[in-house]
């Protein structure tokens, strides 16, 4: 398996790279791949089938110069804080491990290194629901997934110091959803490493996750191919950098 070192870039570039890797893997032009990346500037990504107007406070996002980009994966809206979050991404064939055949077990298998990393910090980490990782009962990571032609793309957050107050301003979280989780505010629902008493900078969080993924998978450091880079550039133009794609639904 290939590991792509940290890339810091705009959201349309990050989403295009993830999809480009998936296409390359489907076509046999790239191996199973893990990568870690960060968004700059801080950004919002929304699920493939989500409504921008219902899920994002666009006025607040514009005030804060936070771009909004639609993913090809499912799930809801996500705030990616350039000052407090690292994103992981795995592109892998369903035949790599038996756990990948089932949706729920695949989420836990591919996000397992996040739980392992949190436990390395002596935190009470576990899985919750289909696609969340929690610390002391509060969400610290969420993942989203899509599948195509026997290949899975799963990516998700790792909030080491996300500004929860900004998250609360730019995302519209329904009261009903909070009630379903047994809480009354986003502050009760979400946490970060910093809020749990562990202060890390980006590079420390990155190295923690990198080591955990290397412990879990047979990884070798590599780089994106010219094919993937060219395809990513095309996807930025046609999809992720296109308002029609991002503002649909």
């Amino acid at each position: 398996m290939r590991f792509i070192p940290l890339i810091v870039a705009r959201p349309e570039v990050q989403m295009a790279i993830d999809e480009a890797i998936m296409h390359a893997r489907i076509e046999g032009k790239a191996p199973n791949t893990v990568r870690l990346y960060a968004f700059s500037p801080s950004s919002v990504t929304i699920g493939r089938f989500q409504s921008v107007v219902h899920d994002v406070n666009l006025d607040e996002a514009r005030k804060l110069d936070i771009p909004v980009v639609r993913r090809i994966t499912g799930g809801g809206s996500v705030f990616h804080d350039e000052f407090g979050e690292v994103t992981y991404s795995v592109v892998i064939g369903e035949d790599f491990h038996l756990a990948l055949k089932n949706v729920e077990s695949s989420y836990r298998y591919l996000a397992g290194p996040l739980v392992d990393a949190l436990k390395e910090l002596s935190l009470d980490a576990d899985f919750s629901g289909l696609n969340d990782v929690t610390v002391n009962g509060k969400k610290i990571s969420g993942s989203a997934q899509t599948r195509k032609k026997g290949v899975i793309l799963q990516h998700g957050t790792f909030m080491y110091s996300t500004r929860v107050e900004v998250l609360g301003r730019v995302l519209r979280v329904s009261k009903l959803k909070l009630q379903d989780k047994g809480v009354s505010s986003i502050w009760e629902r979400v946490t970060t490493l910093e809020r749990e008493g562990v202060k890390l900078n980006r590079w420390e969080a990155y190295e923690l996750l990198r080591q955990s993924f290397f412990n879990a998978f047979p990884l070798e450091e590599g780089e994106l191919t010219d094919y993937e880079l060219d395809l990513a550039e095309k996807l930025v133009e046609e999809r992720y950098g296109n308002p029609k794609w991002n503002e649909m639904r």
Side-chain angles (χ1 to χ4, degrees):
M1 291 182 69
R2 175 181 58 168
F3 176 80
I4 304 296
L6 185 71
I7 294 173
V8 180
R10 291 185 58 82
E12 62 269 26
V13 173
Q14 302 289 23
M15 295 300 93
I17 291 173
D18 275 358
E19 185 176 354
I21 295 171
M22 186 179 195
H23 281 299
R25 174 64 181 80
I26 290 169
E27 295 168 16
K29 296 179 179 179
N32 295 324
T33 299
V34 172
R35 77 184 189 101
L36 299 173
Y37 56 90
F39 291 79
S40 184
S42 298
S43 309
V44 169
T45 64
I46 58 171
R48 176 69 176 84
F49 305 105
Q50 298 304 110
S51 163
V52 182
V53 175
H54 290 158
D55 283 7
V56 183
N57 187 326
L58 291 173
D59 288 338
E60 285 296 323
R62 292 188 188 103
K63 284 179 188 176
L64 298 170
D65 292 323
I66 293 174
V68 180
V69 171
R70 185 177 297 278
R71 307 187 303 270
I72 60 166
T73 52
S77 52
V78 180
F79 172 58
H80 305 272
D81 191 345
E82 70 172 312
F83 305 110
E85 188 252 354
V86 173
T87 301
Y88 82 93
S89 168
V90 183
V91 174
I92 194 167
E94 290 179 352
D95 58 356
F96 182 84
H97 193 278
L98 187 61
L100 298 176
K101 300 294 185 181
N102 173 272
V103 172
E104 182 173 2
S105 62
S106 67
Y107 269 112
R108 298 188 173 209
Y109 178 72
L110 296 176
L114 277 68
V115 173
D116 294 341
L118 292 165
K119 288 181 176 178
E120 279 289 315
L121 298 173
S122 299
L123 294 171
D124 181 17
D126 206 349
F127 293 101
S128 176
L130 177 64
N131 57 352
D132 289 346
V133 172
T134 60
V135 168
N136 296 322
K138 295 181 180 180
K139 180 177 177 179
I140 198 167
S141 169
S143 297
Q145 188 182 110
T146 189
R147 294 169 180 247
K148 185 176 182 181
K149 296 183 179 179
V151 174
I152 301 168
L153 163 61
Q154 180 170 310
H155 47 200
T157 59
F158 186 78
M159 296 187 288
Y160 62 91
S161 187
T162 295
R163 294 167 294 168
V164 180
E165 69 278 6
V166 179
L167 184 156
R169 287 176 62 185
V170 297
L171 301 188
R172 297 187 191 276
V173 181
S174 72
K175 291 182 180 179
L176 183 60
K177 185 173 182 180
L178 290 172
Q179 288 171 1
D180 287 344
K181 301 296 182 180
V183 298
S184 59
S185 73
I186 196 71
W187 285 93
E188 295 177 56
R189 164 73 174 136
V190 172
T191 194
T192 68
L193 287 184
E194 187 170 16
R195 291 188 73 192
E196 297 301 320
V198 179
K199 192 168 179 62
L200 300 182
N201 61 35
R202 176 192 284 168
W203 282 106
E204 289 168 334
Y206 168 75
E207 286 296 337
L208 175 71
L209 287 181
R210 181 185 183 279
Q211 188 57 55
S212 194
F213 273 99
F214 268 80
N215 290 341
F217 296 104
L219 292 170
E220 292 185 8
E221 194 163 302
E223 58 186 19
L224 295 169
T225 64
D226 288 341
Y227 175 81
E228 290 166 314
L229 291 169
D230 290 344
L231 180 54
E233 186 174 351
K234 182 179 179 183
L235 287 167
V236 168
E237 293 177 6
E238 296 180 354
R239 180 168 288 180
Y240 301 106
N242 185 340
K244 288 184 178 179
W245 164 261
N246 292 320
E247 297 170 10
M248 65 188 290
R249 303 186 192 281

